[in-house]
Amino acid sequence: VGGAWGSRGMAAAVGSCRAPLSAWWGLLRGLLLAVLAAGSCQGNSVERKIYIPLNKTAPCVRLLNATHQIGCQSSISGDTGVIHVVEKEEDLNWVLADGPHPPYMILLDGNLFNRRVMLQLKGTSRVSGLAVAIAKPSPPQGFSPGLKCPNDGFGVYSKDYGPQFAHCNKTVWNPVGSGLSYEDFDFPIFLLEDANETQVIKQCYQDHNVPRDGSGPEYPLCAMQLFSHMHAVTSTVTCMRRSSLQSTFSINPEVVCDPLLDYNVWSTLQPINSSGKVDADKEVIIVATRIDSHSFFWNIAPGAESAVSSFVTHLAAAEALHKASDVHLLQRNIMFTFFQGETFDYIGSSRMVYDMEKDKFPLRLDNIHSFVELNQVALRNDSILWMHTDPVSRMNESVEVQVRKLLDILSNSSVGANVTLQEAGYSQPLPPSSFQRFLRARHIPGVVLTDHRTAFQNRYYQSMYDTPENIRMQYPEGLSPEETLEYVTDTAKSLAEVATVVARALYRLAGGANNTSVIQADPKTVSRMLYGFLIKMNNSWFQSIIKPDIKGILGDVPQHYVAVSSPVNTTYLVQYVLANLTGTVVNLTKEECLNPEKTPSSEKELYEYAWVQGSLEPNSTARVPYCVRSTVRLSKALSPAFELRQWGSTEYSTWTESRWKEIRARIFLVASKELEIITLVVGIAILIFSLLTTYFINAKADVLFSIPRDPGAVAY
């Protein structure tokens, strides 16, 4: 554009030496516009030359509950600091005392990311932010930023119910827990997920920032800028009130925080009318597990042991039970339940209990015969699985009889298996579990199955290190993605054994009388699920069992954070995996499957229908879709506190997540303050000189640009 205009402008200038003054100003304006146009075209490339963006990062964000705010944030324009690499504790001295160029942006080795170091950094103004490099291998001493007593105050134990067990007085379940996730930091903290980007930062530091001979490095220095400004402050009560006022009085309301919410996934062995109520005399056994996890960083929640091991086992047990030939004859129904948001004070289970109490769910609490929950089950010692029960409710004689029967059935079901079930002890309280929320409402016979008798075996509870390696998943070298998907690991075999025992016990509890040896969980199915939920969601099996319109949920690295937009990937996938494992392929067209109410025999009130993608045809990119009929449904997992607008509730979860405008990180070279001041002064001087020159030219324009007289026009 500038070149084309410049040619025409020069031709005009040459062809008209005696152009009027307005033409000269037109030429000047045109040149200015051309320069601005060229500058806007080159702006992005200039920025790319100055900044190196860090694209594979995860921020620490702000969460709020009824009384506190936790997490991190930057200033509204982002926080900047000179990079200093800290790989051992002695390196902190430069940041905290010796370094001449504060504030510093620290690149922290993952092994030093602990409470002691973080509280040192929190108490100084010499730190403007933190980038954490993942430790490889995982810290051998363990790392859990969660609480020592998870979900304390929202379970069943309190001053009114088993006070001797309240606040983990009897058992500290997560002794490694540092509570770091529940601290509030006033500077940004980012996780560096890509080792290559970490190396780029270290190289920039080596080239520009390494102290020389004990003195500070010379400018220019390598700096980092982190953007993660949060809109919500103080507490859920404050941010929800502000959002509510905005929605009421503003034409363009600005919401500053959102409740953590999603959906629970549930299905039944025998179909029930989802829009009606189960008869009062019908008994249902609830099998439950959680499907969410958490870590210090937003949407980094692998949850291999804390969530995935249990819900994969649960899914495998559901498949094994559905294959039994006489399940439709069982006197008791079985409900498979997967709760969302349990990490944050039992969001999913408290909502289901609330809905049951308010007759907003097909089941009532009175329909519950017994409760079996799968908790952390992958890290068993000597193949022992521990059975935890509630000692307070067992003081009731009728509950004690039913609990004892439940324990006996579970123990007998493990005979001949590579799993040994043992009772944790009559005086041992329940570990953190969804079952506790049901006990708050009613005395229900129940058991929680775990791989730990007292404290968690999991040393990486609620952390970024709760990965496949934590549950000993190992694959041979050189396998293709498809071969890895199908490879049966030892972990898969172990969890399939647990699923088999659970399925057989549930069959007996429901009144089954046939030989249970035919009830067997499939290790291959467990392998597929572990691969999909822990390593790669976007695999051929998951692709084949979901609806075409949600195929975009299949990201590469699975995460299991509950979030605020729902349903999240995990919820969708648990829903469709459960439908695939327990449902039936029916001979319906796409139109009939998508609109089952138009088909008289569909029994829409009893079943859900899904038109799924299907597998790829051999040597083709085309798929063979089909219709799946199942009893799998979703129910809301939003804390009742938000339904009731009781944002300061101590009965229900009140967790919210702050909104933000942008999350990004970048590095660049920064000049000294002196050079910046000199540049500014020179720039101002040039500006003043330009203004004075322009003023002078404008004032003397009639002299400078006067038109000479034509000699031929002179009269004698």
Side-chain angles (χ1 to χ4, degrees), residues 407-450:
L407 294 172
D408 290 343
I409 289 174
L410 282 164
S411 298
N412 293 336
S413 298
S414 67
V415 174
N418 291 327
V419 181
T420 303
L421 272 78
Q422 293 187 15
E423 189 175 353
Y426 186 85
S427 61
Q428 179 80 11
L430 286 169
S433 52
S434 306
F435 180 40
Q436 293 200 31
R437 291 301 303 194
F438 284 80
L439 279 176
R440 283 176 73 125
R442 184 175 176 270
H443 281 179
I444 298 170
V447 62
V448 178
L449 302 177
T450 72

mmCIF file of all heavy atoms in Angstrom, residues 407-450:
data_model
loop_
_atom_site.group_PDB
_atom_site.id
_atom_site.type_symbol
_atom_site.label_atom_id
_atom_site.label_comp_id
_atom_site.label_asym_id
_atom_site.label_seq_id
_atom_site.Cartn_x
_atom_site.Cartn_y
_atom_site.Cartn_z
ATOM 1 N N LEU A 407 -20.384 -56.860 55.280
ATOM 2 C CA LEU A 407 -18.965 -57.185 55.389
ATOM 3 C C LEU A 407 -18.714 -58.659 55.087
ATOM 4 O O LEU A 407 -17.732 -59.012 54.415
ATOM 5 C CB LEU A 407 -18.451 -56.841 56.794
ATOM 6 C CG LEU A 407 -18.440 -55.353 57.175
ATOM 7 C CD1 LEU A 407 -18.100 -55.178 58.652
ATOM 8 C CD2 LEU A 407 -17.448 -54.581 56.314
ATOM 9 N N ASP A 408 -19.603 -59.528 55.562
ATOM 10 C CA ASP A 408 -19.445 -60.964 55.315
ATOM 11 C C ASP A 408 -19.558 -61.287 53.829
ATOM 12 O O ASP A 408 -18.790 -62.094 53.292
ATOM 13 C CB ASP A 408 -20.493 -61.760 56.107
ATOM 14 C CG ASP A 408 -20.231 -61.733 57.617
ATOM 15 O OD1 ASP A 408 -19.095 -61.394 58.004
ATOM 16 O OD2 ASP A 408 -21.163 -62.021 58.390
ATOM 17 N N ILE A 409 -20.521 -60.668 53.165
ATOM 18 C CA ILE A 409 -20.702 -60.923 51.729
ATOM 19 C C ILE A 409 -19.473 -60.459 50.946
ATOM 20 O O ILE A 409 -18.984 -61.153 50.042
ATOM 21 C CB ILE A 409 -21.980 -60.232 51.216
ATOM 22 C CG1 ILE A 409 -23.218 -60.942 51.747
ATOM 23 C CG2 ILE A 409 -22.009 -60.186 49.687
ATOM 24 C CD1 ILE A 409 -24.534 -60.259 51.411
ATOM 25 N N LEU A 410 -18.947 -59.284 51.289
ATOM 26 C CA LEU A 410 -17.751 -58.784 50.611
ATOM 27 C C LEU A 410 -16.559 -59.702 50.854
ATOM 28 O O LEU A 410 -15.804 -60.031 49.921
ATOM 29 C CB LEU A 410 -17.428 -57.366 51.093
ATOM 30 C CG LEU A 410 -18.273 -56.236 50.498
ATOM 31 C CD1 LEU A 410 -18.141 -54.955 51.322
ATOM 32 C CD2 LEU A 410 -17.849 -55.961 49.054
ATOM 33 N N SER A 411 -16.382 -60.138 52.090
ATOM 34 C CA SER A 411 -15.256 -61.020 52.413
ATOM 35 C C SER A 411 -15.368 -62.344 51.677
ATOM 36 O O SER A 411 -14.385 -62.851 51.114
ATOM 37 C CB SER A 411 -15.192 -61.263 53.927
ATOM 38 O OG SER A 411 -14.966 -60.059 54.625
ATOM 39 N N ASN A 412 -16.569 -62.916 51.658
ATOM 40 C CA ASN A 412 -16.767 -64.200 50.983
ATOM 41 C C ASN A 412 -16.576 -64.083 49.469
ATOM 42 O O ASN A 412 -16.152 -65.033 48.814
ATOM 43 C CB ASN A 412 -18.166 -64.747 51.285
ATOM 44 C CG ASN A 412 -18.338 -65.121 52.753
ATOM 45 O OD1 ASN A 412 -17.357 -65.401 53.445
ATOM 46 N ND2 ASN A 412 -19.572 -65.109 53.240
ATOM 47 N N SER A 413 -16.884 -62.936 48.939
ATOM 48 C CA SER A 413 -16.743 -62.744 47.489
ATOM 49 C C SER A 413 -15.288 -62.701 47.043
ATOM 50 O O SER A 413 -14.988 -62.873 45.858
ATOM 51 C CB SER A 413 -17.437 -61.446 47.058
ATOM 52 O OG SER A 413 -18.822 -61.507 47.333
ATOM 53 N N SER A 414 -14.377 -62.454 47.992
ATOM 54 C CA SER A 414 -12.956 -62.391 47.642
ATOM 55 C C SER A 414 -12.266 -63.743 47.742
ATOM 56 O O SER A 414 -11.085 -63.861 47.394
ATOM 57 C CB SER A 414 -12.244 -61.388 48.545
ATOM 58 O OG SER A 414 -12.213 -61.849 49.891
ATOM 59 N N VAL A 415 -12.981 -64.766 48.196
ATOM 60 C CA VAL A 415 -12.390 -66.097 48.311
ATOM 61 C C VAL A 415 -12.024 -66.612 46.918
ATOM 62 O O VAL A 415 -12.829 -66.585 45.997
ATOM 63 C CB VAL A 415 -13.367 -67.077 49.002
ATOM 64 C CG1 VAL A 415 -12.798 -68.496 48.991
ATOM 65 C CG2 VAL A 415 -13.646 -66.627 50.430
ATOM 66 N N GLY A 416 -10.767 -67.045 46.789
ATOM 67 C CA GLY A 416 -10.307 -67.547 45.499
ATOM 68 C C GLY A 416 -9.790 -66.467 44.569
ATOM 69 O O GLY A 416 -9.276 -66.766 43.491
ATOM 70 N N ALA A 417 -9.920 -65.198 44.961
ATOM 71 C CA ALA A 417 -9.423 -64.091 44.132
ATOM 72 C C ALA A 417 -8.069 -63.630 44.665
ATOM 73 O O ALA A 417 -7.649 -64.004 45.767
ATOM 74 C CB ALA A 417 -10.417 -62.935 44.139
ATOM 75 N N ASN A 418 -7.395 -62.818 43.890
ATOM 76 C CA ASN A 418 -6.114 -62.269 44.321
ATOM 77 C C ASN A 418 -6.294 -60.984 45.113
ATOM 78 O O ASN A 418 -5.420 -60.126 45.116
ATOM 79 C CB ASN A 418 -5.221 -61.999 43.102
ATOM 80 C CG ASN A 418 -4.764 -63.280 42.440
ATOM 81 O OD1 ASN A 418 -4.564 -64.290 43.111
ATOM 82 N ND2 ASN A 418 -4.620 -63.248 41.127
ATOM 83 N N VAL A 419 -7.449 -60.870 45.742
ATOM 84 C CA VAL A 419 -7.762 -59.711 46.568
ATOM 85 C C VAL A 419 -8.247 -60.216 47.921
ATOM 86 O O VAL A 419 -9.115 -61.090 47.989
ATOM 87 C CB VAL A 419 -8.856 -58.829 45.928
ATOM 88 C CG1 VAL A 419 -9.138 -57.623 46.803
ATOM 89 C CG2 VAL A 419 -8.451 -58.385 44.539
ATOM 90 N N THR A 420 -7.676 -59.671 48.983
ATOM 91 C CA THR A 420 -8.101 -60.034 50.330
ATOM 92 C C THR A 420 -8.781 -58.832 50.968
ATOM 93 O O THR A 420 -8.187 -57.751 51.046
ATOM 94 C CB THR A 420 -6.896 -60.452 51.188
ATOM 95 O OG1 THR A 420 -6.220 -61.528 50.551
ATOM 96 C CG2 THR A 420 -7.351 -60.884 52.573
ATOM 97 N N LEU A 421 -10.014 -59.008 51.400
ATOM 98 C CA LEU A 421 -10.744 -57.918 52.050
ATOM 99 C C LEU A 421 -10.670 -58.079 53.559
ATOM 100 O O LEU A 421 -10.977 -59.152 54.096
ATOM 101 C CB LEU A 421 -12.208 -57.895 51.593
ATOM 102 C CG LEU A 421 -12.460 -57.069 50.318
ATOM 103 C CD1 LEU A 421 -12.031 -57.859 49.102
ATOM 104 C CD2 LEU A 421 -13.911 -56.677 50.198
ATOM 105 N N GLN A 422 -10.266 -57.008 54.232
ATOM 106 C CA GLN A 422 -10.171 -57.020 55.682
ATOM 107 C C GLN A 422 -10.878 -55.806 56.257
ATOM 108 O O GLN A 422 -10.876 -54.730 55.644
ATOM 109 C CB GLN A 422 -8.704 -57.027 56.133
ATOM 110 C CG GLN A 422 -7.950 -58.296 55.777
ATOM 111 C CD GLN A 422 -6.559 -58.313 56.386
ATOM 112 O OE1 GLN A 422 -6.239 -57.526 57.286
ATOM 113 N NE2 GLN A 422 -5.719 -59.224 55.914
ATOM 114 N N GLU A 423 -11.446 -55.976 57.450
ATOM 115 C CA GLU A 423 -12.128 -54.865 58.111
ATOM 116 C C GLU A 423 -11.105 -53.954 58.761
ATOM 117 O O GLU A 423 -10.156 -54.409 59.411
ATOM 118 C CB GLU A 423 -13.107 -55.397 59.150
ATOM 119 C CG GLU A 423 -14.001 -54.319 59.730
ATOM 120 C CD GLU A 423 -15.060 -54.881 60.676
ATOM 121 O OE1 GLU A 423 -15.184 -56.122 60.770
ATOM 122 O OE2 GLU A 423 -15.745 -54.067 61.313
ATOM 123 N N ALA A 424 -11.269 -52.650 58.566
ATOM 124 C CA ALA A 424 -10.309 -51.685 59.096
ATOM 125 C C ALA A 424 -10.350 -51.616 60.620
ATOM 126 O O ALA A 424 -9.370 -51.248 61.257
ATOM 127 C CB ALA A 424 -10.576 -50.305 58.509
ATOM 128 N N GLY A 425 -11.469 -51.960 61.206
ATOM 129 C CA GLY A 425 -11.581 -51.905 62.658
ATOM 130 C C GLY A 425 -12.829 -51.167 63.085
ATOM 131 O O GLY A 425 -13.208 -50.164 62.469
ATOM 132 N N TYR A 426 -13.452 -51.654 64.135
ATOM 133 C CA TYR A 426 -14.722 -51.101 64.581
ATOM 134 C C TYR A 426 -14.575 -49.662 65.072
ATOM 135 O O TYR A 426 -15.474 -48.838 64.925
ATOM 136 C CB TYR A 426 -15.296 -51.979 65.700
ATOM 137 C CG TYR A 426 -16.684 -51.587 66.138
ATOM 138 C CD1 TYR A 426 -17.802 -52.071 65.459
ATOM 139 C CD2 TYR A 426 -16.883 -50.727 67.214
ATOM 140 C CE1 TYR A 426 -19.087 -51.708 65.851
ATOM 141 C CE2 TYR A 426 -18.159 -50.357 67.614
ATOM 142 C CZ TYR A 426 -19.261 -50.854 66.928
ATOM 143 O OH TYR A 426 -20.522 -50.491 67.301
ATOM 144 N N SER A 427 -13.401 -49.338 65.643
ATOM 145 C CA SER A 427 -13.200 -47.996 66.206
ATOM 146 C C SER A 427 -12.628 -47.015 65.192
ATOM 147 O O SER A 427 -12.391 -45.857 65.517
ATOM 148 C CB SER A 427 -12.258 -48.078 67.415
ATOM 149 O OG SER A 427 -11.002 -48.594 67.012
ATOM 150 N N GLN A 428 -12.418 -47.484 63.972
ATOM 151 C CA GLN A 428 -11.843 -46.628 62.937
ATOM 152 C C GLN A 428 -12.955 -45.854 62.224
ATOM 153 O O GLN A 428 -13.922 -46.441 61.756
ATOM 154 C CB GLN A 428 -11.089 -47.504 61.935
ATOM 155 C CG GLN A 428 -10.469 -46.768 60.789
ATOM 156 C CD GLN A 428 -9.151 -46.113 61.171
ATOM 157 O OE1 GLN A 428 -8.602 -46.369 62.223
ATOM 158 N NE2 GLN A 428 -8.670 -45.239 60.318
ATOM 159 N N PRO A 429 -12.855 -44.522 62.113
ATOM 160 C CA PRO A 429 -13.905 -43.759 61.417
ATOM 161 C C PRO A 429 -13.806 -43.934 59.911
ATOM 162 O O PRO A 429 -12.835 -44.496 59.389
ATOM 163 C CB PRO A 429 -13.607 -42.317 61.815
ATOM 164 C CG PRO A 429 -12.128 -42.299 62.039
ATOM 165 C CD PRO A 429 -11.786 -43.644 62.621
ATOM 166 N N LEU A 430 -14.801 -43.425 59.215
ATOM 167 C CA LEU A 430 -14.783 -43.459 57.758
ATOM 168 C C LEU A 430 -13.731 -42.483 57.219
ATOM 169 O O LEU A 430 -13.575 -41.386 57.752
ATOM 170 C CB LEU A 430 -16.148 -43.053 57.195
ATOM 171 C CG LEU A 430 -17.285 -44.067 57.323
ATOM 172 C CD1 LEU A 430 -18.606 -43.386 56.957
ATOM 173 C CD2 LEU A 430 -17.050 -45.267 56.429
ATOM 174 N N PRO A 431 -13.030 -42.853 56.156
ATOM 175 C CA PRO A 431 -12.165 -41.884 55.485
ATOM 176 C C PRO A 431 -13.018 -40.855 54.743
ATOM 177 O O PRO A 431 -14.247 -41.032 54.628
ATOM 178 C CB PRO A 431 -11.369 -42.760 54.503
ATOM 179 C CG PRO A 431 -12.269 -43.905 54.219
ATOM 180 C CD PRO A 431 -13.045 -44.157 55.475
ATOM 181 N N PRO A 432 -12.431 -39.774 54.242
ATOM 182 C CA PRO A 432 -13.215 -38.827 53.429
ATOM 183 C C PRO A 432 -13.913 -39.559 52.288
ATOM 184 O O PRO A 432 -13.266 -40.228 51.481
ATOM 185 C CB PRO A 432 -12.146 -37.864 52.893
ATOM 186 C CG PRO A 432 -11.037 -37.954 53.883
ATOM 187 C CD PRO A 432 -11.032 -39.358 54.376
ATOM 188 N N SER A 433 -15.234 -39.465 52.231
ATOM 189 C CA SER A 433 -15.999 -40.258 51.266
ATOM 190 C C SER A 433 -17.389 -39.668 51.074
ATOM 191 O O SER A 433 -17.942 -39.013 51.961
ATOM 192 C CB SER A 433 -16.126 -41.714 51.750
ATOM 193 O OG SER A 433 -16.621 -41.767 53.074
ATOM 194 N N SER A 434 -17.965 -39.932 49.905
ATOM 195 C CA SER A 434 -19.323 -39.468 49.591
ATOM 196 C C SER A 434 -20.349 -40.079 50.540
ATOM 197 O O SER A 434 -21.395 -39.475 50.818
ATOM 198 C CB SER A 434 -19.670 -39.831 48.149
ATOM 199 O OG SER A 434 -18.691 -39.354 47.251
ATOM 200 N N PHE A 435 -20.072 -41.277 51.023
ATOM 201 C CA PHE A 435 -20.983 -41.969 51.936
ATOM 202 C C PHE A 435 -21.290 -41.112 53.164
ATOM 203 O O PHE A 435 -22.396 -41.177 53.726
ATOM 204 C CB PHE A 435 -20.363 -43.311 52.330
ATOM 205 C CG PHE A 435 -21.192 -44.135 53.274
ATOM 206 C CD1 PHE A 435 -22.574 -44.219 53.134
ATOM 207 C CD2 PHE A 435 -20.590 -44.847 54.310
ATOM 208 C CE1 PHE A 435 -23.340 -44.995 54.014
ATOM 209 C CE2 PHE A 435 -21.346 -45.620 55.176
ATOM 210 C CZ PHE A 435 -22.714 -45.693 55.036
ATOM 211 N N GLN A 436 -20.325 -40.294 53.579
ATOM 212 C CA GLN A 436 -20.538 -39.463 54.761
ATOM 213 C C GLN A 436 -21.707 -38.494 54.580
ATOM 214 O O GLN A 436 -22.432 -38.199 55.530
ATOM 215 C CB GLN A 436 -19.256 -38.690 55.100
ATOM 216 C CG GLN A 436 -18.105 -39.565 55.556
ATOM 217 C CD GLN A 436 -17.058 -38.775 56.319
ATOM 218 O OE1 GLN A 436 -17.379 -37.792 56.998
ATOM 219 N NE2 GLN A 436 -15.803 -39.188 56.223
ATOM 220 N N ARG A 437 -21.902 -37.994 53.355
ATOM 221 C CA ARG A 437 -23.012 -37.070 53.120
ATOM 222 C C ARG A 437 -24.360 -37.772 53.243
ATOM 223 O O ARG A 437 -25.357 -37.160 53.655
ATOM 224 C CB ARG A 437 -22.891 -36.423 51.738
ATOM 225 C CG ARG A 437 -21.749 -35.471 51.582
ATOM 226 C CD ARG A 437 -21.787 -34.297 52.548
ATOM 227 N NE ARG A 437 -22.994 -33.492 52.506
ATOM 228 C CZ ARG A 437 -23.118 -32.294 53.071
ATOM 229 N NH1 ARG A 437 -22.103 -31.762 53.746
ATOM 230 N NH2 ARG A 437 -24.249 -31.617 52.991
ATOM 231 N N PHE A 438 -24.422 -39.041 52.882
ATOM 232 C CA PHE A 438 -25.668 -39.802 53.040
ATOM 233 C C PHE A 438 -25.917 -40.109 54.508
ATOM 234 O O PHE A 438 -27.068 -40.085 54.970
ATOM 235 C CB PHE A 438 -25.600 -41.083 52.210
ATOM 236 C CG PHE A 438 -25.790 -40.860 50.736
ATOM 237 C CD1 PHE A 438 -24.750 -40.401 49.950
ATOM 238 C CD2 PHE A 438 -27.031 -41.082 50.140
ATOM 239 C CE1 PHE A 438 -24.929 -40.172 48.592
ATOM 240 C CE2 PHE A 438 -27.219 -40.856 48.780
ATOM 241 C CZ PHE A 438 -26.166 -40.398 48.006
ATOM 242 N N LEU A 439 -24.839 -40.378 55.252
ATOM 243 C CA LEU A 439 -25.002 -40.640 56.684
ATOM 244 C C LEU A 439 -25.474 -39.400 57.440
ATOM 245 O O LEU A 439 -26.124 -39.518 58.479
ATOM 246 C CB LEU A 439 -23.678 -41.130 57.279
ATOM 247 C CG LEU A 439 -23.339 -42.610 57.069
ATOM 248 C CD1 LEU A 439 -21.953 -42.912 57.618
ATOM 249 C CD2 LEU A 439 -24.376 -43.507 57.752
ATOM 250 N N ARG A 440 -25.150 -38.228 56.954
ATOM 251 C CA ARG A 440 -25.642 -37.002 57.598
ATOM 252 C C ARG A 440 -27.162 -36.924 57.543
ATOM 253 O O ARG A 440 -27.795 -36.289 58.391
ATOM 254 C CB ARG A 440 -25.056 -35.768 56.901
ATOM 255 C CG ARG A 440 -23.612 -35.470 57.256
ATOM 256 C CD ARG A 440 -23.074 -34.304 56.456
ATOM 257 N NE ARG A 440 -23.613 -33.027 56.880
ATOM 258 C CZ ARG A 440 -22.884 -31.980 57.250
ATOM 259 N NH1 ARG A 440 -21.572 -32.072 57.278
ATOM 260 N NH2 ARG A 440 -23.447 -30.841 57.592
ATOM 261 N N ALA A 441 -27.748 -37.572 56.538
ATOM 262 C CA ALA A 441 -29.200 -37.503 56.362
ATOM 263 C C ALA A 441 -29.919 -38.689 56.994
ATOM 264 O O ALA A 441 -31.062 -38.559 57.445
ATOM 265 C CB ALA A 441 -29.538 -37.438 54.871
ATOM 266 N N ARG A 442 -29.268 -39.852 57.019
ATOM 267 C CA ARG A 442 -29.954 -41.063 57.481
ATOM 268 C C ARG A 442 -28.939 -42.150 57.812
ATOM 269 O O ARG A 442 -27.905 -42.252 57.160
ATOM 270 C CB ARG A 442 -30.908 -41.555 56.383
ATOM 271 C CG ARG A 442 -31.764 -42.752 56.732
ATOM 272 C CD ARG A 442 -32.735 -43.025 55.601
ATOM 273 N NE ARG A 442 -33.531 -44.227 55.829
ATOM 274 C CZ ARG A 442 -33.179 -45.445 55.427
ATOM 275 N NH1 ARG A 442 -32.059 -45.621 54.741
ATOM 276 N NH2 ARG A 442 -33.944 -46.485 55.682
ATOM 277 N N HIS A 443 -29.231 -42.970 58.803
ATOM 278 C CA HIS A 443 -28.372 -44.102 59.115
ATOM 279 C C HIS A 443 -28.554 -45.179 58.047
ATOM 280 O O HIS A 443 -29.598 -45.832 57.976
ATOM 281 C CB HIS A 443 -28.703 -44.674 60.493
ATOM 282 C CG HIS A 443 -28.127 -43.881 61.622
ATOM 283 N ND1 HIS A 443 -28.327 -44.201 62.944
ATOM 284 C CD2 HIS A 443 -27.340 -42.775 61.630
ATOM 285 C CE1 HIS A 443 -27.699 -43.333 63.725
ATOM 286 N NE2 HIS A 443 -27.101 -42.454 62.933
ATOM 287 N N ILE A 444 -27.522 -45.342 57.216
ATOM 288 C CA ILE A 444 -27.577 -46.302 56.116
ATOM 289 C C ILE A 444 -26.435 -47.291 56.294
ATOM 290 O O ILE A 444 -25.289 -46.876 56.510
ATOM 291 C CB ILE A 444 -27.439 -45.583 54.758
ATOM 292 C CG1 ILE A 444 -28.599 -44.596 54.558
ATOM 293 C CG2 ILE A 444 -27.380 -46.573 53.603
ATOM 294 C CD1 ILE A 444 -28.406 -43.669 53.363
ATOM 295 N N PRO A 445 -26.687 -48.570 56.199
ATOM 296 C CA PRO A 445 -25.587 -49.540 56.250
ATOM 297 C C PRO A 445 -24.676 -49.331 55.045
ATOM 298 O O PRO A 445 -25.153 -49.218 53.918
ATOM 299 C CB PRO A 445 -26.288 -50.897 56.168
ATOM 300 C CG PRO A 445 -27.721 -50.627 56.465
ATOM 301 C CD PRO A 445 -27.998 -49.219 56.037
ATOM 302 N N GLY A 446 -23.393 -49.232 55.287
ATOM 303 C CA GLY A 446 -22.506 -48.986 54.160
ATOM 304 C C GLY A 446 -21.065 -49.302 54.471
ATOM 305 O O GLY A 446 -20.669 -49.471 55.633
ATOM 306 N N VAL A 447 -20.269 -49.379 53.405
ATOM 307 C CA VAL A 447 -18.845 -49.683 53.532
ATOM 308 C C VAL A 447 -18.087 -48.899 52.467
ATOM 309 O O VAL A 447 -18.594 -48.671 51.356
ATOM 310 C CB VAL A 447 -18.589 -51.202 53.390
ATOM 311 C CG1 VAL A 447 -19.009 -51.703 52.016
ATOM 312 C CG2 VAL A 447 -17.128 -51.545 53.649
ATOM 313 N N VAL A 448 -16.898 -48.446 52.826
ATOM 314 C CA VAL A 448 -16.010 -47.757 51.892
ATOM 315 C C VAL A 448 -14.772 -48.621 51.708
ATOM 316 O O VAL A 448 -14.112 -48.986 52.687
ATOM 317 C CB VAL A 448 -15.611 -46.357 52.421
ATOM 318 C CG1 VAL A 448 -14.649 -45.677 51.450
ATOM 319 C CG2 VAL A 448 -16.853 -45.495 52.627
ATOM 320 N N LEU A 449 -14.459 -48.959 50.462
ATOM 321 C CA LEU A 449 -13.315 -49.822 50.149
ATOM 322 C C LEU A 449 -12.122 -48.970 49.744
ATOM 323 O O LEU A 449 -12.231 -48.115 48.857
ATOM 324 C CB LEU A 449 -13.667 -50.783 49.015
ATOM 325 C CG LEU A 449 -14.877 -51.700 49.245
ATOM 326 C CD1 LEU A 449 -15.146 -52.551 48.014
ATOM 327 C CD2 LEU A 449 -14.647 -52.587 50.461
ATOM 328 N N THR A 450 -10.982 -49.202 50.400
ATOM 329 C CA THR A 450 -9.768 -48.441 50.090
ATOM 330 C C THR A 450 -8.545 -49.356 50.139
ATOM 331 O O THR A 450 -8.602 -50.475 50.657
ATOM 332 C CB THR A 450 -9.536 -47.287 51.092
ATOM 333 O OG1 THR A 450 -9.117 -47.854 52.349
ATOM 334 C CG2 THR A 450 -10.790 -46.472 51.305
#
